[in-house]
Amino acid sequence: MAAMQFRADGSLRHLLTLDGLTRRQLEELLDRAQSHVRPLGQRPSQSRALEGVTVATLFTEPSTRTRVSFELAAQRLGAQVASVEMQLSSRLKGESMLDTVYTLEALHVDCFVLRDAEATVPDLVANAVAAHVSVLSGGAGSYAHPTQGLLDALTIRQRKGKFDGLAVAIVGDVRHSRVARSAWHAFLTLGVRELRIAGPDALLPDADQFAGARRCHSIDDAVQDADVVMMLRIQKERMTQADIPDGAAYFAEWGLNATRLRRARRDAIVMHPQPMNRGVEIDSEVADGPQSAIRDQVRNGVAVRMAVLEAVIAGRDAGKSARAQSA
Ligand code: CP
């Protein structure tokens, strides 16, 4: 999978997973993203790097942050953006995802950003599009959310200045979490000292998954002396009704509150990919408190998506000019 993400010249063509990206490749994307970060209140980073490029967003699952930040990222780089309302599209008349993609390709779309409940959809589309077209995952089932993994890594690097030596705890519904899977790939590759995963037994991944992570069976154990505590939402949409835990009981056993956070290092940061369920996995006092990096994560989302869009289009254009020169 990771191999198909790169062109023969080594440039990034698609981004479907962080699995297989090297530390250097991740760091290059983080460096590029950092160059686009601006404090709130200043004008956002803008360029014409994607002038003449068309980006389409096709989200069949709900999204606030990923979709809006991909669209803002593309616009701030000068691209045209087609935001396809999948609930109003001809998919409802029976058109297949690939026929929708081929139609948009014929309308000069150069880059598709896809979110789908099916883990395999972004790969399927990446295998089908023309050679000049890129596919970026905006989250696929429980499998991967690569730009979320990058923005989480960028947030940690900004707040901690490094990955080496850090203990990172991911707590909650790890089993169904594409965010946790992309974080796992990114954080271990970038060199965190210890990655801990914790949650009720039913919400922990199978034993053969998350190699290299330490499994904890209580939130107190997971949070103890952690540098980063990342809380996850219960992914109700991936469970049967009977398996969904009661919110109050879950919060009592697994929710992050100020008392539990005191077990972490004094300078620990709290992260959450959002959407948050306050009072279920996290208390508002913590989510909005001084250790929270949650709004930084959102801000970094645009910067990371600008970096990824620039990388795939710059690689494509460089390949085209190299071919023209050698012709
Ligand atoms: N973190 C995240 O993927 O948020 P959205 O579902 O709002 O895009």
Side-chain angles (χ1 to χ4, degrees):
M1 181 98 53
M4 73 169 280
Q5 300 189 114
F6 290 89
R7 299 182 183 88
D9 65 4
S11 64
L12 187 69
R13 179 180 168 202
H14 306 298
L15 187 62
L16 312 172
T17 173
L18 298 181
D19 188 9
L21 268 69
T22 63
R23 183 169 184 159
R24 186 183 165 86
Q25 288 165 335
L26 292 173
E27 285 176 343
E28 280 174 4
L29 286 169
L30 297 184
D31 291 345
R32 196 189 269 265
Q34 185 61 45
S35 75
H36 287 300
V37 175
R38 299 286 184 279
L40 292 180
Q42 275 188 21
R43 293 199 180 178
S45 173
Q46 278 184 300
S47 83
R48 309 307 299 168
L50 264 65
E51 197 163 44
V53 169
T54 305
V55 176
T57 54
L58 279 71
F59 279 46
T60 61
E61 278 195 329
S63 169
T64 301
R65 283 146 289 270
T66 310
R67 181 171 177 151
V68 172
S69 59
F70 257 119
E71 292 177 358
L72 287 176
Q75 287 164 3
R76 288 175 186 168
L77 293 169
Q80 292 186 311
V81 176
S83 180
V84 182
E85 287 299 335
M86 297 304 278
Q87 300 310 319
L88 298 177
S89 77
S90 289
R91 289 292 306 280
L92 263 64
K93 299 179 200 165
E95 183 170 82
S96 73
M97 177 60 107
L98 285 186
D99 281 333
T100 302
V101 164
Y102 293 142
T103 299
L104 293 166
E105 223 179 45
L107 298 174
H108 272 270
V109 167
D110 303 278
C111 181
F112 290 95
V113 182
L114 303 175
R115 169 171 289 189
D116 204 279
E118 278 297 322
T120 53
V121 164
D123 288 31
L124 177 83
V125 175
N127 275 312
V129 291
H132 66 280
V133 174
S134 291
V135 176
L136 307 177
S137 170
S142 303
Y143 167 63
H145 194 349
T147 54
Q148 180 74 44
L150 288 170
L151 75 87
D152 290 339
L154 184 63
T155 304
I156 293 174
R157 195 174 80 168
Q158 287 167 349
R159 290 293 193 107
K160 296 289 168 194
K162 59 174 187 179
F163 296 97
D164 300 334
L166 296 183
V168 179
I170 302 180
V171 181
D173 181 5
V174 183
R175 182 176 188 86
H176 300 105
S177 177
R178 55 194 175 210
V179 171
R181 283 182 177 75
S182 288
W184 164 55
H185 289 306
F187 298 171
L188 287 184
T189 305
L190 288 163
V192 301
R193 173 174 58 83
E194 186 176 37
L195 182 65
R196 306 169 187 168
I197 56 172
D201 287 346
L203 300 183
L204 280 176
D206 290 342
D208 60 347
Q209 296 185 7
F210 284 81
R214 176 161 81 81
R215 287 166 189 253
C216 302
H217 297 281
S218 74
I219 184 169
D220 288 349
D221 185 21
V223 166
Q224 190 67 44
D225 298 321
D227 299 281
V228 176
V229 181
M230 180 189 285
M231 300 306 294
L232 299 176
R233 176 177 72 88
I234 300 170
Q235 308 261 308
K236 293 180 185 170
E237 65 274 28
R238 308 199 200 290
M239 298 179 189
T240 60
Q241 192 64 33
D243 291 335
I244 297 172
D246 170 72
Y250 183 86
F251 184 68
E253 194 171 354
W254 290 101
L256 184 66
N257 58 23
T259 306
R260 283 178 169 153
L261 182 57
R262 278 195 281 278
R263 289 179 170 271
R265 290 177 59 91
R266 284 170 66 88
D267 61 353
I269 60 168
V270 174
M271 297 173 64
H272 192 308
Q274 303 198 72
M276 272 185 285
N277 288 306
R278 294 167 182 260
V280 178
E281 71 269 10
I282 192 165
D283 195 33
S284 285
E285 186 185 359
V286 172
D288 303 325
Q291 289 170 268
S292 174
I294 295 170
R295 291 185 197 168
D296 289 7
Q297 291 173 266
V298 180
R299 181 199 58 181
N300 287 332
V302 182
V304 156
R305 288 159 184 139
M306 289 175 83
V308 172
L309 285 163
E310 271 181 339
V312 297
I313 296 302
R316 182 190 77 167
D317 292 350
K320 263 194 225 161
S321 32
R323 280 193 297 281
Q325 276 172 11
S326 66

